[in-house]
Amino acid sequence: MIEILTNRLMIIPCSLDIAKSLVFHRKELDKQSPIEFPICWPSAFVKGFLPLYIENLESKEKKNDCGLWLIILYEEKRIIGDILMQGKPSKEGMVELCYHVDEKQVDETIAFEAVDAFIDWLTYQKFVTKVVMECEVAQERSIRLFEKLGMLCTEKEGRFLMWEIQKKDFE
């Protein structure tokens, strides 16, 4: 299994078993898992995505090649958020990500550490040359995070901002 490790975090892909347990057997998962799954996790966005994710993992063809990754606060053995890779990288090497962290339980440096490590891993393992992320104008924490990552705001559509960082920016 792939593990992305930082000083405080372990970022791992969400397995089919965990995804199914989240949907169908949450109480059992909470009882038996050595990792704590907070009540507030997953987010509504990820809950809505899980059936498609399960279907994709069960499919032999892996149509979307999307990925749900769990962000685990290593010492506490507690999930604090997730990163969602929305499809496989395009032919040009572009991938869209979104992230969710429990802002009530962790500070902004944790989100930076997680997203930075994941983008670093992506650029070396998946031949990604551009990462795109989106947020709303009112999401000040996300805007600060994207700026700290060195991302540029490339588009504003209504209340949404599109951010990107390219491979040359990583070096």
Side-chain angles (χ1 to χ4, degrees), residues 84-96:
L84 180 61
M85 190 169 93
Q86 299 180 6
K88 61 184 173 184
S90 69
K91 291 177 185 172
E92 297 80 30
M94 184 192 84
V95 70
E96 187 172 348

Side-chain angles (χ1 to χ4, degrees), residues 10 12 18 29-38 70-73 76-80:
M10 179 168 52
I12 61 170
I18 290 175
L29 179 65
D30 290 340
K31 287 180 192 174
Q32 294 185 10
S33 177
I35 297 171
E36 179 187 339
F37 287 81
L70 311 177
I71 303 170
I72 301 167
L73 197 54
E76 296 180 21
K77 295 190 179 5
R78 176 172 49 96
I79 293 190
I80 57 162

Side-chain angles (χ1 to χ4, degrees), residues 14 17-26 29-30 37 41-42 46 50 68 70:
C14 181
D17 289 340
I18 290 175
K20 282 183 170 181
S21 294
L22 284 167
V23 173
F24 302 112
H25 309 288
R26 177 63 191 245
L29 179 65
D30 290 340
F37 287 81
W41 190 86
V46 172
L50 279 171
L68 175 61
L70 311 177

Side-chain angles (χ1 to χ4, degrees), residues 19 34 54-55 62 65 115 119 140 152:
I54 291 168
E55 183 180 313
K62 302 244 192 272
D65 198 25
V115 176
I119 288 173
E140 294 176 14
L152 299 174

Side-chain angles (χ1 to χ4, degrees), residues 95-163:
V95 70
E96 187 172 348
L97 300 178
C98 64
Y99 79 98
H100 304 93
V101 293
D102 185 353
E103 294 178 353
K104 295 175 189 136
Q105 296 187 36
V106 297
D107 63 41
E108 289 182 47
T109 63
I110 295 275
F112 174 80
E113 190 174 323
V115 176
D116 185 51
F118 192 77
I119 288 173
D120 189 49
W121 178 82
L122 270 178
T123 58
Y124 291 105
Q125 302 298 319
K126 297 291 183 182
F127 309 106
V128 170
T129 58
K130 184 194 311 189
V131 173
V132 177
M133 298 180 84
E134 183 180 83
C135 72
E136 291 186 32
V137 174
Q139 291 178 303
E140 294 176 14
R141 288 181 84 153
S142 290
I143 291 170
R144 280 194 306 270
L145 170 68
F146 298 158
E147 288 173 343
K148 189 174 178 183
L149 287 165
M151 299 182 89
L152 299 174
C153 183
T154 58
E155 188 178 328
K156 180 180 180 189
E157 189 174 311
R159 66 178 206 254
F160 293 98
L161 301 173
M162 186 64 71
W163 296 80

